[in-house]
Amino acid sequence: MNSPDQRNVMLVLGDAHADDPDNRRGLFAAYRAADADVALQLGDLLYYDLPIPTYFIAGNNEDFDVIDALRNGRVDSERVTNATLLAGSTADVGGVTVGGLSGNYAPTQYERPRPNLLGERRRHFVSDDVEQAKQLGDVDVLLLHEAPHGLPVTEDYEVGCDHIDELVDELDPDLCLVGHHHEHAEGTRGDTRLVSLAPAWESYYTLDPDTLELTRHETPSA
C-alpha cells in the first residue's frame, strides 16, 4: 500500500536492458522503491513480465517478436504481464493522457512500409508511424526513444531528429520524456519540457499526475 503522499504518483523508468540479470534486479528494485500503482517506461525494456501495469514504448533493443505481437494485440504468453505498448497510440494513465512513438530513426528505412521491415530493422519507426502519432490530439506526456533537438545529452553525434521535432511541435505536450541516451538531461522545445532519462539501474523517477512534476531518485541496490 502506498503512503498518502505517494498514492497517486506514477513510476517513470528509463532504459532497462533487463535481459541482463543485474539490470533486471535494478529494474525491480526501482519498482519496489517507488511503490507505485502504475509505471511509464521509455524503451529497451527487454523483459515484459512486470509487477504493475506498465505503459511503455519499444526501443531499438527489444524482443521484436513480442513487440510485433503487442502491436497487433495478440499476446497470450506467461512472459508478458502488465505490459502495454504505446506505438502511435495513447492511454489514460491516472487521468494523464500519455502518448508514445515506438522505435528509433533510420533514414534508409523511414519511407518503407512497416510490414517490409524485417529482423532487427523492426526497431525503427517509419513515416506512417509518425503521421499516425501526429493525429493523437491532446497529449499531456509524450514518450519517445528518439530525441527531438534541444536535449543536451553527451553523444559523439548531433542528437535530434527533424521528424521528431515535427511530432513534438504538432502535439505540443506539456512534458516529453526520452530514452535511449542513458543520461539525465533537460531542455525545452517551445512550451514543452524535454527530459532525457537516466537508465533504470541508476535512477528512477516519480511523476505527479496533477502537476506533471518529475522527481529523480537513486535506484537502491537490488
Side-chain angles (χ1 to χ4, degrees), residues 116-190:
N116 290 4
L117 301 186
L118 303 176
E120 291 301 301
R121 287 299 189 181
R122 293 177 289 173
R123 67 186 181 267
H124 303 303
F125 58 77
V126 296
S127 176
D128 287 346
D129 298 329
V130 174
E131 292 307 311
Q132 177 180 328
K134 286 180 179 178
Q135 307 306 311
L136 292 179
D138 188 13
V139 171
D140 300 312
V141 179
L142 181 62
L143 310 183
L144 299 171
H145 202 72
E146 184 77 36
H149 289 90
L151 272 172
V153 293
T154 306
E155 298 284 7
D156 58 3
Y157 58 91
E158 181 185 356
V159 172
C161 172
D162 291 343
H163 303 297
I164 296 298
D165 291 347
E166 293 172 6
L167 176 61
V168 174
D169 292 346
E170 179 69 28
L171 296 180
D172 192 27
D174 295 309
L175 178 63
C176 177
L177 303 175
V178 180
H180 187 58
H181 297 288
H182 295 194
E183 179 182 353
H184 181 91
E186 301 192 25
T188 58
R189 181 171 180 84

Side-chain angles (χ1 to χ4, degrees), residues 28-43:
F28 279 81
Y31 274 106
R32 289 192 298 271
D35 192 25
D37 296 324
V38 67
L40 309 178
Q41 198 277 331
L42 274 294

Side-chain angles (χ1 to χ4, degrees), residues 69-85:
L70 286 168
R71 281 182 184 274
N72 293 287
R74 61 173 188 264
V75 165
D76 183 13
S77 169
E78 63 183 13
R79 296 190 301 130
V80 181
T81 306
N82 286 326
T84 298
L85 179 70

